[in-house]
Amino acid sequence: MTLNIGVIGTGAIGREHIRRLSHTLLGSRVVAVTDINAEQAARVVQELGIAAEVYPDGHALIAAADVQAVLVASWGPTHEEYVLAAIAAGKPVFCEKPLATTAEGCRRIVEAEQAHGKRLVQVGFMRPYDVGYRQLKAVVDADRIGAPLMIHAAHRNPTVSEHYSTDMAITDTLIHEINVLAWLLDDHYVSAQVVFPRKAPAAREHLRDPQVVLLETAKGVRIDVEVFVNCQYGYDIQCEIVGERGIARLPEPTSVQLRSEARLSNEILMDWKDRFIAAYDVELQAFIDDLAAGQLTGPSSWDGYIAAVTADACIKAQDSGAIEPVTLPSRPAFYD
Ligand code: NAI
Ligand code: ISE
């Protein structure tokens, strides 16, 4: 059976997802697209050679009779409205992160989904589908380094657009670590602090970059995440878990090792699209397959909600400089 998907937002990741849904994955086709930039939406349809109708807006797309599932890849502030509309229409929805830009917005989605009575939402947290993170988790779960004590992590982008603000380092960037590190440790956060080193010269005037986020978990694990979005040299994701009797590191992406010009070297990727290309394929294939099997199992709206609650504490900590508590509600049985 082929799942007919409508895609809202045909920008950087929207286009990538349309490509993989149309040409890489099994069991899906894109039958509808929309973007506030209608010309761009039409261009994407043409360039990717697909037979999708271009709709005037997201609500018309969600209502379309042939759209069986929705993928939201528009700007973050529009996500809540479209996810709620998809739930109201009883249609499954894959929503790129963030699920909503506020914890209250995520809460409204969680409540609407529970009122519907069945899971309809998967959030685009793809790192738990990345083979390197899965290997890391397998090492921890098999007790090969003892119980985790600390994590040292880094999320580095070569550069960001002029619209990127200091709080987006949390809501747009750190949000992936918030999700994947809790999943790795099978734990949740209890406090957050943010400290700012000397500012990088490449960072625009309004942006405080880099920043170091210090998280503490319920089991007492201490985590430092460096978020540095003007590092210039590459897109670089690092994660090292220090356990009671060993250390486990996230594998580097594979790259050809070069011996040339008196150097031994490996290339570093520049673009997030390439770093997690396989993980995006796997997460969306899981969405399609789970819907065919009748039950979503990937990152849920509850995961989106608790990530947003944690992000709120981090943003508060950016301003206060203090250690801020993270107070998470308990998980409803609906999301077990
Ligand atoms: P982008 O700016 O390249 O694309 C967003 C598109 O949404 C634009 O074409 C814009 O015209 C369109 N848009 C805005 N408001 C709309 C509306 N009301 N209706 C329809 N279209 C609308 O941004 P990008 O990088 O593609 O990011 C989109 C979302 O995906 C963001 O929430 C971002 O955080 C997330 N993202 C997730 C990634 C991941 O690793 N999971 C990677 C990159 C982005
Ligand atoms: C982007 O929005 C993403 O979600 C990427 O995965 C992330 O690594 C990057 O920093 C963000 O800008």
Side-chain angles (χ1 to χ4, degrees), residues 7-17 33-38 40-41 55-59 72-79 81-82 94-99 101 123-127 155 168 171-173 175-176 235 272-273 276 280 283:
V7 178
I8 301 174
T10 58
I13 200 158
R15 188 186 198 285
E16 279 291 293
H17 284 332
V33 300
T34 187
D35 196 290
I36 45 165
N37 182 344
Q40 175 191 268
Y55 280 80
D57 62 65
H59 292 285
V72 178
S74 44
W75 292 326
T78 67
H79 292 185
E81 175 189 340
Y82 292 135
F94 179 98
C95 180
E96 262 311 332
K97 39 68 59 172
L99 177 59
T101 47
V123 181
F125 287 137
M126 75 297 182
R127 293 216 194 156
H155 189 148
M168 283 173 72
T171 56
D172 198 53
T173 303
I175 199 87
H176 285 295
Y235 180 75
W272 53 263
K273 288 191 205 86
F276 288 108
Y280 295 121
E283 69 167 354

Side-chain angles (χ1 to χ4, degrees), residues 67-331:
V67 169
Q68 296 170 306
V70 179
L71 188 151
V72 178
S74 44
W75 292 326
T78 67
H79 292 185
E80 179 185 349
E81 175 189 340
Y82 292 135
V83 173
L84 286 174
I87 294 172
K91 296 189 181 181
V93 52
F94 179 98
C95 180
E96 262 311 332
K97 39 68 59 172
L99 177 59
T101 47
T102 62
E104 298 79 61
C106 294
R107 177 98 225 168
R108 284 189 282 274
I109 290 172
V110 160
E111 283 167 1
E113 189 179 38
Q114 288 182 79
H116 171 77
K118 186 165 189 229
R119 268 197 65 185
L120 284 178
V121 183
Q122 178 169 329
V123 181
F125 287 137
M126 75 297 182
R127 293 216 194 156
Y129 293 98
D130 173 69
V131 66
Y133 277 109
R134 291 184 93 91
Q135 288 167 344
L136 200 51
K137 185 164 173 58
V139 164
V140 174
D141 289 351
D143 196 29
R144 291 183 56 195
I145 58 167
L149 307 172
M150 293 174 273
I151 294 185
H152 309 296
H155 189 148
R156 304 191 186 111
N157 288 46
T159 183
V160 281
S161 79
E162 63 187 311
H163 306 295
Y164 190 98
S165 51
T166 300
D167 60 334
M168 283 173 72
I170 307 295
T171 56
D172 198 53
T173 303
L174 180 83
I175 199 87
H176 285 295
E177 272 77 17
I178 290 176
N179 168 258
V180 78
L181 301 183
W183 169 82
L184 267 178
L185 295 172
D186 191 19
D187 202 349
H188 63 270
Y189 307 107
V190 294
S191 78
Q193 187 184 10
V194 182
V195 294
F196 294 94
R198 189 169 67 83
K199 184 173 159 163
R204 289 185 176 82
E205 207 183 326
H206 68 273
L207 180 64
R208 298 182 79 181
D209 182 52
Q211 40 192 291
V212 179
V213 182
L214 304 168
L215 297 164
E216 182 188 4
T217 74
K219 293 178 189 164
V221 179
R222 295 287 182 158
I223 299 170
D224 56 273
V225 186
E226 171 204 314
V227 179
F228 186 13
V229 295
N230 285 281
C231 79
Q232 313 281 293
Y233 73 87
Y235 180 75
D236 193 8
I237 303 299
Q238 298 291 326
C239 181
E240 179 181 272
I241 305 180
V242 180
E244 291 165 327
R245 49 174 202 280
I247 289 174
R249 277 192 80 90
L250 181 69
E252 294 287 345
T254 52
S255 77
V256 172
Q257 196 180 64
L258 277 185
R259 284 177 156 81
S260 78
E261 296 169 353
R263 298 187 106 84
L264 180 60
S265 63
N266 286 83
E267 267 181 26
I268 296 178
L269 295 170
M270 291 299 284
D271 197 326
W272 53 263
K273 288 191 205 86
D274 302 322
R275 172 64 181 83
F276 288 108
I277 193 161
Y280 295 121
D281 286 350
V282 179
E283 69 167 354
L284 270 182
Q285 188 67 61
F287 178 71
I288 297 161
D289 294 348
D290 282 353
L291 288 178
Q295 183 62 49
L296 288 178
T297 59
S300 66
S301 55
W302 185 259
D303 295 318
Y305 171 52
I306 60 172
V309 172
T310 308
D312 280 356
C314 293
I315 290 171
K316 200 165 169 205
Q318 283 182 328
D319 294 333
S320 69
I323 299 173
E324 297 291 345
V326 179
T327 312
L328 296 178
S330 47
R331 177 185 284 263

